[in-house]
Amino acid sequence: MDGYLGIDVGSVSTNLVVLDENEEVVAKIYRRTQGKPIEAVQAGLTELEDLLTEPVNVLGVGATGSARHLTGVVVGADAVRNEITAHAMAARHAQPDVRTVLEIGGQDSKVIVLQDGIPIDFAMNTVCAAGTGSFLDHQSSRLGIPIEEFGGIAMTAERGSQIAGRCGVFAESDMIHKQQVGHPTNEIVYGLCQALVRNYLNNLAKGKDILAPIVFQGGVAANEGMKRAFEEALEQEVTIPEHFNVMGAIGSALLAKRIMSRTDNTTHFKGFHSADFEYKTSSFGCAACANSCEIIQIAQEDGSEKGDVLARWGGRCDKWDLAPTSITQA
Amino acid sequence: MAPTVGLPRALLYYKYHAAWDAFFNHLGVETVTSENTSKKVLNIGLKASDSEICLPVKVFYGHALDLGEKCDYVFIPRIVQVEKGSFTCPKFLGLPDMIRAVDNPPEIISPTIDVRNGRHAIRDAALEVGRMFTDDEAKIVKAYKLAMKALRKHEKDLVKENIEKTPIEKLKSLIGGNEGNKEPVLRIGIAGHAYNIEDPYISLNLIQRLKDRGIEVVTPENVPMKKIKKAAKDAPKDLFWNYERDILGASYHWVKNKVVDGIIYVVAFPCGPDSTIQVFVEGYAKKEGPVPLMSIVIDEHSAEAGLVTRLEAFVDLLTESKLSAQGV
Ligand code: SF4
Ligand code: SF4
């Protein structure tokens, strides 16, 4: 079978998919990056291959995510594109007339505004946990309810408890208070979903036109309570695509497929077991602001003093993000 | 020594510098144009100006004050009306006064340009300035004529008469190649004031970034005035700001005749005229196109990284859509 590979390596999760010629998902992997993007990609590829029921002849590879340049070199990618491009591509593939993409992952969130399939605006949040999935993760462990059960429980609530949740810390004490005065658990759980939606809409999506059709994706979209909370807050229907948690990988595979099918080029893919990669990891402290982030970087071992820097992470702002390739490449 | 006149490289300099240079040079006056906008220039401007004012005017302060130290005079015309019945942004009227109000202001030359002052309004303004440097009126009139000629030539040189759609065959040939992701040429219209889009510092180098990617860039100044005026007739109401009319007319022309694949509107913050026109252009691009339009609002805090991500996403998917739609 011919197929296309998409890889999305972010600081938290690493996702891989294989699409067939009809652009359907035939296999997908969602795993933690755990600060080791190269290992995550290599292990992910092995797992992915195990999932395939028949051998796949890879015709093109796309990479995205904050470690996309690194991934591109490690696996031999044909299309290296940023997350906004990849997520928008996947969203419009699932819903061609999509106008708004709401995306919430474990540690980050985004909103993308599209016009006629073209992303014209976006916002991204990697700093404030109160607008990401970790807000719910944290409260779920506080409540002793597994996060996977949150959605089901939230759906049974008639209404949500009003939880003051501009910031995770306040939300927590308020939630405990609501518990003590006897609010039903399901209303508290749904109230937490509403608080996250409120944070997301008031911070990230502030000043953006949230127009229908709306697609909600990212790991947090597994939680039906979140869909309900979004729909109530926006007074609009919200669609969750089938493969909501690997949309970045799908988008990059789609981009690779389109690019490769337009040319006679053969893929740069090094195979599912591309372990022969020499690199050097180093770190330094950033002194540019009071956050004093520890920046980690990976450089290709090419005999030279410094090598080519392929990835950097650890910064709380984008100061050290690598210069994007696709805008300078072509 | 010949007197020197400083031309701040900001605001209407981008429209009229050809005329200004020609005029002063014929009079034997040396012109000094300020350096490109930089962090230093902006900081001078930020310090001296009102924090509520738009970014381009802040930048103008920086250029004018920086020049003040290097020249005998700084040239800051008061541009009120350049076309009958339409106005310029009120900021241009107040510009000379704003600069005079700073501590230790430079020596300013500020003729008033207002076509309501009669048929010879601009020539009279030129005479007023010229007399500061010579008694030879004939020479001043000659300088004025040369200036107008230089301006018309400059404007004409910028116009690209026949911008048309890229033929599919060309697209195909562009994506061939062995180079992996070799991409086709898109044509993107950049709408906005020349002093924003052509200033690499203010616009975060937008035009060059696109060109580096092999994208053809067109600006309102590339559109013939006749086409601008014709397209602007579609505006929901008569626009009384004439520079903004040009931006709107050019954008409408691009949309209506589908000559660009996308539009990027660069808006200064806070700018009343821009935000009004932006709404019209966005609506028109959606309704009459659709031509995807991305607005970029710039202020002194605009960050490069976010812009690059937006540009990439816009351009990558514009390319993808264009090729898919044409079956390439
Ligand atoms: S990486 Fe950004 S947030 Fe972190 S210390 Fe440097 S400037 Fe501050
Ligand atoms: S038109 Fe807008 S940007 Fe230009 S000077 Fe006036 S307020 Fe400033």
Side-chain angles (χ1 to χ4, degrees):
Chain A
M1 183 181 79
D2 288 341
Y4 296 86
L5 178 61
I7 309 178
D8 176 1
V9 187
S11 54
V12 178
S13 67
T14 295
N15 312 321
L16 300 93
V17 298
V18 172
L19 302 185
D20 64 16
E21 274 294 346
N22 301 320
E23 306 185 344
E24 298 290 340
V25 174
V26 294
K28 60 175 177 179
I29 291 283
Y30 178 95
R31 68 185 339 272
R32 301 246 145 209
T33 308
Q34 291 176 318
K36 294 185 177 147
I38 296 175
E39 287 79 350
V41 169
Q42 288 171 339
L45 278 173
T46 309
E47 280 175 51
L48 189 67
E49 197 186 20
D50 289 344
L51 286 181
L52 297 170
T53 47
E54 59 175 299
V56 169
N57 173 31
V58 175
L59 297 182
V61 180
T64 189
S66 50
R68 60 188 175 279
H69 304 285
L70 176 68
T71 309
V73 175
V74 174
V75 304
D78 305 301
V80 177
R81 295 292 185 270
N82 73 42
E83 298 95 299
I84 303 300
T85 309
H87 278 106
M89 182 74 195
R92 78 180 203 183
H93 185 66
Q95 170 105 29
D97 54 350
V98 58
R99 298 295 307 275
T100 312
V101 178
L102 311 171
E103 149 98 26
I104 307 185
Q107 308 273 324
D108 57 4
S109 48
K110 318 178 180 62
V111 55
I112 309 176
V113 179
L114 296 97
Q115 183 203 332
D116 307 302
I118 309 298
I120 56 170
D121 198 8
F122 83 95
M124 219 175 340
N125 161 38
T126 50
V127 180
C128 171
T132 72
S134 73
F135 172 80
L136 291 184
D137 287 336
H138 191 79
Q139 314 304 343
S140 91
S141 66
R142 253 324 197 137
L143 286 169
I145 300 172
I147 188 72
E148 296 75 31
E149 290 170 22
F150 251 51
I153 295 173
M155 294 308 280
T156 66
E158 214 161 288
R159 68 185 85 80
S161 300
Q162 183 71 27
I163 297 192
R166 274 233 153 260
C167 143
V169 181
F170 287 125
E172 184 169 332
S173 57
D174 197 38
M175 178 185 82
I176 292 167
H177 172 73
K178 294 279 149 60
Q179 257 184 318
Q180 283 161 350
V181 300
H183 282 237
T185 305
N186 60 354
E187 292 186 4
I188 292 180
V189 168
Y190 185 48
L192 288 168
C193 296
Q194 289 174 318
L196 174 50
V197 163
R198 233 179 5 254
N199 287 335
Y200 176 94
L201 294 176
N202 291 341
N203 299 322
L204 195 64
K206 194 169 157 196
K208 308 240 181 286
D209 269 338
I210 310 281
L211 300 173
I214 302 167
V215 167
F216 174 31
Q217 56 193 44
V220 172
N223 179 337
E224 302 155 79
M226 285 297 295
K227 172 171 158 35
R228 177 180 168 194
F230 264 126
E231 288 183 333
E232 281 179 16
L234 295 168
E235 297 177 356
Q236 310 245 35
E237 200 192 325
V238 167
T239 317
I240 298 177
E242 188 186 350
H243 304 286
F244 59 84
N245 62 343
V246 291
M247 294 297 271
I250 292 177
S252 60
L254 286 169
L255 288 159
K257 173 172 183 280
R258 303 292 170 86
I259 286 171
M260 296 311 279
S261 63
R262 287 188 187 120
T263 62
D264 306 325
N265 300 330
T266 48
T267 181
H268 295 87
F269 185 45
K270 296 178 182 167
F272 284 95
H273 305 279
S274 53
D276 57 334
F277 181 69
E278 303 266 325
Y279 62 91
K280 207 169 19 183
T281 309
S282 57
S283 69
F284 61 91
C286 174
C289 90
N291 282 333
S292 307
C293 301
E294 172 87 1
I295 311 294
I296 299 162
Q297 68 178 24
I298 287 190
Q300 185 155 25
E301 196 77 87
D302 59 356
S304 73
E305 178 65 9
K306 279 173 63 202
D308 247 351
V309 176
L310 296 173
R312 284 200 200 98
W313 67 92
R316 293 185 55 183
C317 73
D318 50 27
K319 181 178 170 62
W320 294 100
D321 287 4
L322 287 186
T325 37
S326 76
I327 202 87
T328 46
Q329 235 168 28
Chain B
M1 220 176 68
T4 53
V5 169
L7 306 180
R9 190 191 294 271
L11 296 178
L12 297 178
Y13 168 87
Y14 285 92
K15 278 216 171 303
Y16 300 130
H17 64 89
W20 299 350
D21 267 324
F23 178 74
F24 286 114
N25 290 345
H26 186 72
L27 295 180
V29 177
E30 199 188 317
T31 52
V32 180
T33 303
S34 55
E35 288 160 25
N36 286 335
T37 309
S38 61
K39 179 123 200 151
K40 180 186 136 208
V41 170
L42 176 61
N43 281 341
I44 298 175
L46 288 178
K47 240 198 223 149
S49 62
D50 185 297
S51 63
E52 302 287 302
I53 214 154
C54 65
L55 176 66
V57 169
K58 286 175 180 158
V59 166
F60 184 88
Y61 268 87
H63 284 278
L65 299 182
D66 194 33
L67 271 177
E69 324 227 303
K70 298 172 186 159
C71 322
D72 301 316
Y73 305 95
V74 178
F75 184 61
I76 310 179
R78 185 189 308 278
I79 298 185
V80 185
Q81 204 175 103
V82 290
E83 219 180 279
K84 281 255 165 64
S86 70
F87 286 89
T88 64
C89 170
K91 303 278 185 336
F92 296 133
L93 272 74
L95 219 43
D97 310 312
M98 286 192 243
I99 302 299
R100 277 198 189 100
V102 304
D103 296 337
N104 299 317
E107 199 68 46
I108 292 171
I109 304 179
S110 59
T112 296
I113 307 292
D114 187 343
V115 291
R116 287 170 306 178
N117 294 344
R119 214 150 50 88
H120 297 300
I122 299 178
R123 199 194 60 185
D124 294 345
L127 278 167
E128 177 197 325
V129 174
R131 284 190 203 108
M132 295 177 61
F133 303 100
T134 174
D135 298 329
D136 184 347
E137 298 238 339
K139 191 172 179 184
I140 304 175
V141 171
K142 179 84 202 279
Y144 160 73
K145 286 187 176 151
L146 287 173
M148 296 311 266
K149 205 173 142 199
L151 180 62
R152 273 191 296 271
K153 176 168 187 317
H154 173 73
E155 289 173 347
K156 203 165 144 251
D157 288 347
L158 284 172
V159 167
K160 296 184 184 163
E161 270 303 334
N162 288 311
I163 297 180
E164 279 162 12
K165 287 183 168 179
T166 321
I168 296 186
E169 294 66 47
K170 188 172 168 214
L171 282 181
K172 282 192 173 144
S173 75
L174 283 163
I175 54 167
N178 317 320
E179 252 309 302
N181 317 331
K182 193 142 176 141
E183 282 167 77
V185 172
L186 287 178
R187 184 183 297 123
I188 292 184
I190 311 283
H193 289 102
Y195 48 80
N196 289 326
I197 63 183
E198 267 153 45
D199 183 326
Y201 188 87
I202 292 188
S203 65
L204 299 162
N205 221 1
L206 176 65
I207 290 180
Q208 196 54 46
R209 283 178 206 276
L210 293 169
K211 284 188 176 163
D212 285 348
R213 248 204 114 167
I215 292 166
E216 185 187 342
V217 171
V218 290
T219 69
E221 309 209 285
N222 301 143
V223 183
M225 193 46 80
K226 251 175 51 202
K227 292 186 175 163
I228 287 182
K229 288 191 173 162
K230 186 164 165 237
K233 293 208 177 95
D234 275 3
K237 58 178 183 189
D238 245 357
L239 295 163
F240 46 87
W241 300 303
N242 74 289
Y243 299 123
E244 286 72 15
R245 191 266 330 266
D246 295 354
I247 298 170
L248 176 134
S251 312
Y252 275 28
H253 165 73
W254 291 332
V255 171
K256 199 170 189 170
N257 300 294
K258 304 238 173 10
V259 287
V260 298
D261 301 303
I263 296 177
I264 298 179
Y265 197 140
V266 180
V267 188
F269 184 82
C271 166
D274 258 352
S275 47
T276 310
I277 303 298
Q278 180 196 2
V279 173
F280 290 157
V281 173
E282 280 176 357
Y284 196 81
K286 249 177 236 169
K287 217 173 89 236
E288 301 292 325
V291 174
L293 183 146
M294 171 163 95
S295 292
I296 295 177
V297 181
I298 43 167
D299 62 19
E300 61 262 38
H301 308 296
S302 299
E304 212 159 289
L307 176 78
V308 171
T309 307
R310 278 181 77 184
L311 274 186
E312 283 184 341
F314 186 70
V315 163
D316 284 339
L317 289 191
L318 217 44
T319 306
E320 167 53 38
S321 288
K322 179 174 184 175
L323 295 178
S324 294
Q326 305 197 354
V328 180

